[in-house]
Amino acid sequence: MYDFPPGLYTDVRVEKVFETKIDFLQEDLKECRIREHEAAFIRVFDGKRWYYTSTTDPGRIQEEIDALAALAGTTGARGTVAGHPVVEKFPVSTGEYLQFTAGKSIASIPKEEKIRLLTDYFPVLSGVPPVKLWRAFYRDKREQKEFYSSKGSRLIFDIQHTGLVFGFELARGKKRFSESFQKTGSYFSELQGEKENLENFLMQCTEFLNHARPVKPGKYTVVLAPLPAGIFAHESFGHKSEADFMMGDENAMKEWAIGKKVGAEILSIVDDGSRPGTGYVPFDDEGTPAQATYLVRNGILTGRLHSVATAAALGEEPTGNARAVGFPYEPIVRMTTTFILPGNKSKEELIGEVKEGILVERVQHGSGLSAFTMAPSLAYRIKNGKIADPLNISVITGDVFTTLAEIDGLSDRLELFSFVLGGCGKMEQFPLPVGFGGPYVRVRNLVVQ
Amino acid sequence: MVTEKYLFKTREITLNVQDTAVVSVRRQKLSQTGLRVYANGRIGVAGALGVCDEGELAARARENLSLNILYPCEPSTGFMELDSRRGEMIPEEDFLAEVEEFLSELRRAQPDFSFSHQIKEEWSERRLVNDKGLDLKAQDEYISFTLLFREKGSLNIYDGVVGYAGKRYDRAEVLKLVNRVCTAYKNPVELKKAGTRPVVFLERNPTLGKLAKELNGQSFGTGSSLLTKKRGKKVFSSRFSLFQSLHPEDTYGPFFDAEGVVNDGFRYPLIKDGAVLCPYTDKTTAAKYNLPLTGSAVGSYDEVPKLGCRRLKIASSGRTVKELLGGEEGILIVMAEGGDFTPAGDYATPVQLAFAFDGEEFLGRLPQLKISGNLFTMFGKGFRGLSTDKPTPLGGDHFLVLDLKVEKL
């Protein structure tokens, strides 16, 4: 296949991509773009440093390998790579794992059919008076990846996702509200039949626009619906589980020792690349197969997310989390589908036990450094165990570790979510498709503004 | 039928940094070509990566006219070429060695911190040309240091971020900036007084995001913007003026938008002396809602141009940050992630890292804070101004001073 230079570790990732982007602004078609390309990312490791390049011309891959090898030869420690712990950790993966071919590929669906899928929903959107502006989006992407390494990996696999999104801005008098509705899947057929759900969601948003009042700032017990719970898992703990952040810092490794108590006993968090959805990656971009990694089990730190390099540095095993956002970029440690495991209460029990609190159903975004934050869109007061009036909230915050310990209830049903617009950002690599979710999660003492 | 070609060429060298050392070297060279055809009020677009057959692209673009994507506007005309490169970056062949020297000095100066992330240089060329006489070409370059820092042993992924992006490099000046930040970080201080205080941001910060949302021409035209009925009215401080800018001093990249619109002096005023003049628009939005065309079309090489927010630039107040603080101690926001505005314009955010700041020195690290305010007051009576000075003389953002409510988290 390729002539890999001796004395160095080399791998090549070839990406064959088909993707569709269709945008409507109200009834006007604004974009219908189909992109198809084949490109490659090439890495060489000389035992000291990595050298990367990419090419949009598959015929030049060998030339690029040779150029990187020459660069490594002049600045690195060529000849020492055999037996290097990083190289030793690389799995040798072989085989063909193609699921989305022929009629199952979104490339087989004509663009006219994809446009029609969107336009069938338009009467729903244009019939709601407070909706002043709306947009409709269709996205799909099929990636066929090939991975070849100087250790002997010869791997072909594919991933695919598709989805539609309706974004809308509502206004009545001086009141404003914006939200979006989306449906995603691995196959085009999964996007049908959402009209009733869209109608119901628009009604909920209209009610919210009409009746929402500013929250009285303070500390509250907050029940997070599965979507915000997933964002919380991703932002507040998932990123901290990415092992690259502790590289080279022995104190951090001690602080993050496996076995440490990090949250309430009912809390378990998992990252799993084998779950269907936008976080699905049967193999990562270093050829490591997907697996379920328990980050937290019963409140105890039990695992973290690795690339080959971080696993070698920490004396652990790769977890299938080395991912690149596209062919110009190197794989770095990323999440796949991250979620909180369910508990044993019904949703009704969880809310029914709250005298005065807040239910957060949807959020615009979240973050999770030492403090986690969440900017709710749809949120409601809980009064005497019942969901009451809608609330406008700027931000909900809490110290991450205090908050993890304040979780005192989980509902009994797991919901996972996928997204075709946006994604996870890390370094310059954005947006990476990920999934997340959880049950309803009840947390005490969150600061609400 | 008018045929238009949109060419992107980019070359970059990126060094990934981990624990204050270079762990990888990435070189990239990318070319992208887009072909647009305009006919009978419609547009068709096609694009390709790398070397491509322009005849085949044009054929695909013509075929895409059948999609009936309306474009009831005239393609642009005119000639202009602007080379914004200054030749004051690190020569590509010296880049790795110079950055290794820089990091070596940083390790000696700040042994209690671990630095990670990226140092990069990029050169770009963008050209938009059509057979109606348009020929615009822009060349630019920048160097960026984006260093996440963590005090060794910290439980955080990172404790703060320090960086610089511009067209000049001077090792001593970049080190001076990083050292100022680290020195302040190591000196915890108390918040002297809660309440309404002068908060100092770098100019590009989340508060401008809300203005960008409300000044969107589509939202403005359809009535969903808070500013829809405010056109011509003074709703902000008379000291507050805002431009949309593609001026090479304000931003990196081409001086023209994705439709080939070039503004006088590369800027277009949106708010003047507190009065809303107009939202930002592309050709379609301007025509549809009878608004001035501000040249705010965006789009990748292979996309239909669409409305998007370019750089928003606040007019300088002609005073230094020290003068804007007026003898008060300011709260310099280094990292404030996760907050947002409500639809009505109320803003609140936690502040993960802030320094006490007298306008000259970073006096010390404040405890975690929360800040809050409202769009119309922060750029109204709470607007103190945009400074003439910057955190580093190398370039980058100016200081923006706003009065906001500040409390301990």
Side-chain angles (χ1 to χ4, degrees), chain A residues 21-130:
Chain A
K21 177 184 183 189
I22 300 171
D23 295 352
F24 277 87
L25 174 62
Q26 319 239 97
E27 280 92 356
D28 294 335
L29 180 63
K30 291 292 180 184
E31 184 74 77
C32 181
R33 186 193 75 191
I34 292 172
R35 256 186 198 168
E36 281 184 272
H37 67 255
E38 182 173 347
F41 185 83
I42 301 133
R43 307 193 299 177
V44 165
F45 181 57
D46 65 5
K48 180 186 173 197
R49 187 173 283 158
W50 287 91
Y51 299 86
Y52 308 136
T53 194
S54 56
T55 178
T56 53
D57 180 357
R60 285 178 50 89
I61 292 174
Q62 185 63 54
E63 206 176 310
E64 297 290 352
I65 291 172
D66 296 340
L68 283 187
L71 197 62
T74 56
T75 62
R78 191 164 183 175
T80 63
V81 77
H84 191 286
V86 170
V87 179
E88 290 295 302
K89 278 280 182 205
F90 270 102
V92 177
S93 298
T94 57
E96 187 173 301
Y97 305 86
L98 297 174
Q99 302 176 61
F100 305 104
T101 55
K104 292 178 181 174
S105 165
I106 40 85
S108 69
I109 311 286
K111 59 180 180 260
E112 291 76 13
E113 202 170 325
K114 295 170 183 173
I115 290 172
R116 198 161 49 243
L117 173 80
L118 286 179
T119 55
D120 281 352
Y121 287 91
F122 288 0
V124 178
L125 288 152
S126 54
V128 181

Side-chain angles (χ1 to χ4, degrees), chain A residues 21 25 31 33 35 49-50 52-53 135 169 176 245 249 251 255 328 330 365 370 373 394 427-428, chain B residues 16 23-28 100 117-118 150 153 156 218-219 224 302-304 338-340 343 350 368:
Chain A
K21 177 184 183 189
L25 174 62
E31 184 74 77
R33 186 193 75 191
R35 256 186 198 168
R49 187 173 283 158
W50 287 91
Y52 308 136
T53 194
R135 299 174 175 89
E169 296 179 15
R176 302 287 184 276
F245 95 89
D249 187 344
N251 288 326
E255 285 293 339
E330 64 276 18
H365 55 80
S370 53
T373 70
S394 292
M427 301 174 77
E428 85 259 65
Chain B
N16 284 320
V23 291
S24 68
V25 181
R26 187 182 74 207
R27 290 172 189 275
Q28 264 183 22
E100 285 188 314
H117 207 34
Q118 231 170 43
R150 187 156 55 92
N156 292 324
Q218 281 160 0
S219 300
S224 63
D302 59 350
E303 290 181 334
V304 177
D340 210 340
Q368 291 200 38

